[in-house]
Amino acid sequence: MGDCLSTEKDPTLRLLIDKRLTKTIASNAKEKCKKQVKWSELPSIPLENIYSFLRREDQVNMSLVCRSWSEGYGSPSVWKKFRFDLSESQLSLDTCPVMKLVQKYSSMFRYVEIVSTCFQKRLLRNWCRHFVEFLKILTSSTQLISVKFLYFASYLFNMDTPTYNDICREIVDFLASQRHLKTVEFDLCLFYFQESVEILRTLTETSRESLTHLKLQNFHRVGNKNIEQDSNATQNLPMLADLPNLKTLDTDYSLIFEEMVALQSTAIQTVKNYKSLVLSKLILYYFKEYTDIEVFQGLTSTDWLFMKKLYPDLQVELILITEFGTRRELEFFIVPDMPITRLVYKCQELDMGMEIDVLFGHLLACETNDNLVTLHLDWEEPSHHLSNNFIPFLQDFKKLKYLELFTVSPISGLDVLLESWLEKLPESLEEVLIDVSNIRE
């Protein structure tokens, strides 16, 4: 034991050991560092994932770091999604730099959004020029899976007729060039009846087999540009069944929607054997602010019966936003054999002129309780018999899972309603939200 060396007794030996240990640690760290991949050698998949989280301008900056990152910038996954949304500064330029990127990479585009979040009337001419150029490039070099036209109604409203016609022609030509579209959306891009029909007819001709999702919200511009031309255009309007693989239709309640359903009802009566189709979700909007029901003919219970036969899995989400809730509007939009699973009913003004029990009674009379799962009510009128109305309503609507009520004070019967739920909550009900505003002490 006495022959053992101790570093406590021999400081020279301790210093020698510390130096050797430090050298070993440094050597191991250096070796480990050599084995680590350099940032410039980052594999393509992680590199492309990083690009996918960045804005387009940040992607450009990242591509300038090194050659391999620049090459990654040109990969298909980076350009699979493209948003065409020109800023005011870009619109002010005669030559838009975005177009250089579009020319170079458009063949890789698969999901495109064409957006106008910046409206300046003085820039209308430039917007039209860049918009047309963009569509022409897509027409010649791209096969998209999805295209969305969003929020450029302001430009359409302020165009002269020749320019409007040119823009519509370019949209139709572009859609005619696409053979694999699965998703098409128009939102706040209002067209006159004739152009709306032409767009839909083109879609049914070129994307008939591929289209599964179609959105037409704020799509048809109410007002007659030419009554005779509108009448002729109706003859070219397709039926819903002309899109046999359509699964979701998100649309305004419009003259076009009415005509497409009515044409289908007429056609199905002349065919003995017809194939059921896959449309399973119909999201239907009505905004009183934009269109009065006087312009519509209305769909009947028979129309909806034919719809259910053709689309056995159909579920309807109905969103009604009106000024004053009236029995006439209620009976116009909600009819028997209409498979409503979600109802949103919003009245924007007080003094609705209709008690809530009228709504519940009409829903029950139309047998909406067979399907209704979600009910959202903005009822801007005091309800003096909340428990008297809701307790029997919930007993009849046994499939209802989600209930939201926004109302105003004064109300009565809320305590009785809650007590009844504490004793026995309806079996189907999963979520309840009751919001009472204008409460005063």
Side-chain angles (χ1 to χ4, degrees):
M1 293 291 292
D3 294 335
C4 292
L5 296 175
S6 172
T7 56
E8 294 180 1
K9 296 180 179 180
D10 193 338
T12 304
L13 179 60
R14 180 175 181 177
L15 179 62
L16 180 60
I17 292 173
D18 286 346
K19 284 183 177 180
R20 287 180 177 177
L21 184 59
T22 302
K23 186 176 180 181
T24 301
I25 294 173
S27 177
N28 291 341
K30 187 175 181 180
E31 188 68 25
K32 186 177 180 181
C33 187
K34 285 181 180 180
K35 292 180 180 179
Q36 288 179 342
V37 178
K38 297 179 181 179
W39 281 107
S40 61
E41 297 173 356
L42 197 66
S44 60
I45 293 178
L47 184 64
E48 291 169 10
N49 286 338
I50 294 172
Y51 269 120
S52 69
F53 288 102
L54 301 179
R55 298 175 302 171
R56 192 65 67 185
E57 53 266 36
D58 294 328
Q59 289 179 345
V60 173
N61 293 332
M62 181 174 165
S63 71
L64 300 176
V65 171
C66 62
R67 179 178 295 179
S68 65
W69 287 19
S70 178
E71 292 172 353
Y73 181 62
S75 65
S77 62
V78 174
W79 294 97
K80 182 169 62 175
K81 297 180 180 180
F82 187 82
R83 181 182 174 93
F84 183 77
D85 184 11
L86 300 182
S87 65
E88 183 176 349
S89 60
Q90 291 170 329
L91 286 170
S92 301
L93 300 173
D94 290 333
T95 303
C96 181
V98 173
M99 291 305 174
K100 293 182 179 179
L101 298 176
V102 174
Q103 288 277 9
K104 186 174 183 180
Y105 297 111
S106 61
S107 62
M108 303 180 194
F109 296 173
R110 293 297 177 265
Y111 304 86
V112 168
E113 290 186 1
I114 306 173
V115 189
S116 176
T117 55
C118 170
F119 172 71
Q120 296 288 338
K121 193 170 183 179
R122 63 184 176 81
L123 299 174
L124 175 60
R125 185 184 298 273
N126 278 2
W127 182 87
C128 291
R129 182 162 51 84
H130 295 318
F131 178 79
V132 168
E133 182 183 358
F134 181 68
L135 285 186
K136 284 185 178 296
I137 294 171
L138 294 186
T139 299
S140 64
S141 62
T142 309
Q143 284 296 313
L144 300 180
I145 295 173
S146 169
V147 62
K148 299 178 181 181
F149 296 87
L150 308 174
Y151 321 133
F152 52 80
S154 296
Y155 281 114
L156 294 174
F157 279 148
N158 286 277
M159 292 176 187
D160 56 39
T161 300
T163 304
Y164 169 81
N165 290 337
D166 289 342
I167 291 293
C168 292
R169 189 178 305 111
E170 291 298 334
I171 293 174
V172 169
D173 289 346
F174 158 71
L175 292 174
S177 72
Q178 303 300 303
R179 303 288 173 176
H180 307 291
L181 286 172
K182 292 184 178 181
T183 297
V184 175
E185 293 189 5
F186 288 90
D187 193 348
L188 201 57
C189 304
L190 292 160
F191 302 96
Y192 286 112
F193 187 83
Q194 184 179 359
E195 289 73 36
S196 300
V197 171
E198 183 68 13
I199 288 171
L200 291 175
R201 186 186 65 80
T202 303
L203 278 175
T204 57
E205 290 177 353
T206 60
S207 299
R208 172 184 170 85
E209 300 299 330
S210 61
L211 196 64
T212 60
H213 174 88
L214 178 61
K215 183 175 183 177
L216 304 171
Q217 194 170 341
N218 295 308
F219 173 67
H220 173 217
R221 181 176 178 178
V222 178
N224 294 320
K225 188 177 72 167
N226 187 307
I227 296 177
E228 184 178 350
Q229 288 181 352
D230 286 357
S231 178
N232 294 333
T234 303
Q235 301 175 19
N236 296 321
L237 189 64
M239 299 182 295
L240 285 181
D242 290 328
L243 294 169
N245 294 310
L246 190 67
K247 295 181 179 179
T248 303
L249 176 61
D250 186 341
T251 180
D252 295 326
Y253 190 102
S254 65
L255 289 171
I256 285 180
F257 173 74
E258 270 194 346
E259 285 289 340
M260 293 177 77
V261 174
L263 287 170
Q264 189 167 272
S265 296
T266 302
I268 200 172
Q269 295 179 64
T270 62
V271 179
K272 293 183 178 180
N273 297 315
Y274 55 86
K275 180 182 177 182
S276 61
L277 301 178
V278 296
L279 181 65
S280 58
K281 180 182 286 189
L282 171 60
I283 307 172
L284 198 56
Y285 295 84
Y286 170 70
F287 296 91
K288 171 77 171 182
E289 181 182 352
Y290 300 146
T291 314
D292 194 276
I293 62 172
E294 301 297 334
V295 305
F296 302 127
Q297 296 179 356
L299 296 177
T300 67
S301 176
T302 302
D303 291 322
W304 287 107
L305 188 61
F306 285 136
M307 285 280 282
K308 290 198 298 183
K309 287 182 177 180
L310 192 58
Y311 308 108
D313 297 324
L314 181 64
Q315 297 182 353
V316 177
E317 298 184 12
L318 180 62
I319 295 92
L320 300 178
I321 301 178
T322 184
E323 295 174 351
F324 301 99
T326 65
R327 184 188 291 268
R328 183 169 181 273
E329 282 184 347
L330 198 61
E331 294 174 350
F332 182 90
F333 289 108
I334 301 176
V335 297
D337 292 306
M338 188 177 180
I340 303 174
T341 57
R342 177 173 177 255
L343 175 61
V344 177
Y345 193 85
K346 296 184 179 182
C347 299
Q348 299 173 328
E349 300 291 340
L350 294 173
D351 190 23
M352 292 172 54
M354 182 175 68
E355 294 289 341
I356 201 168
D357 63 323
V358 174
L359 168 65
F360 290 166
H362 183 68
L363 293 177
L364 190 59
C366 293
E367 298 183 348
T368 311
N369 54 320
D370 289 343
N371 301 285
L372 193 65
V373 174
T374 301
L375 177 62
H376 175 113
L377 297 177
D378 277 13
W379 202 261
E380 297 294 336
E381 173 145 327
S383 178
H384 300 293
H385 306 286
L386 203 62
S387 58
N388 292 348
N389 293 321
F390 272 92
I391 291 176
F393 168 78
L394 292 172
Q395 290 173 347
D396 292 326
F397 285 72
K398 299 184 183 301
K399 293 185 178 180
L400 192 71
K401 293 183 178 181
Y402 310 102
L403 172 64
E404 294 182 347
L405 172 65
F406 293 82
T407 188
V408 296
S409 181
I411 62 170
S412 63
L414 180 58
D415 53 342
V416 177
L417 178 63
L418 296 178
E419 286 175 3
S420 72
W421 287 347
L422 288 174
E423 292 178 4
K424 185 178 180 182
L425 186 69
E427 292 182 4
S428 64
L429 207 57
E430 296 180 7
E431 293 183 15
V432 177
L433 171 62
I434 299 178
D435 185 305
V436 183
S437 61
N438 200 32
I439 296 177
R440 298 175 182 177
E441 294 183 0

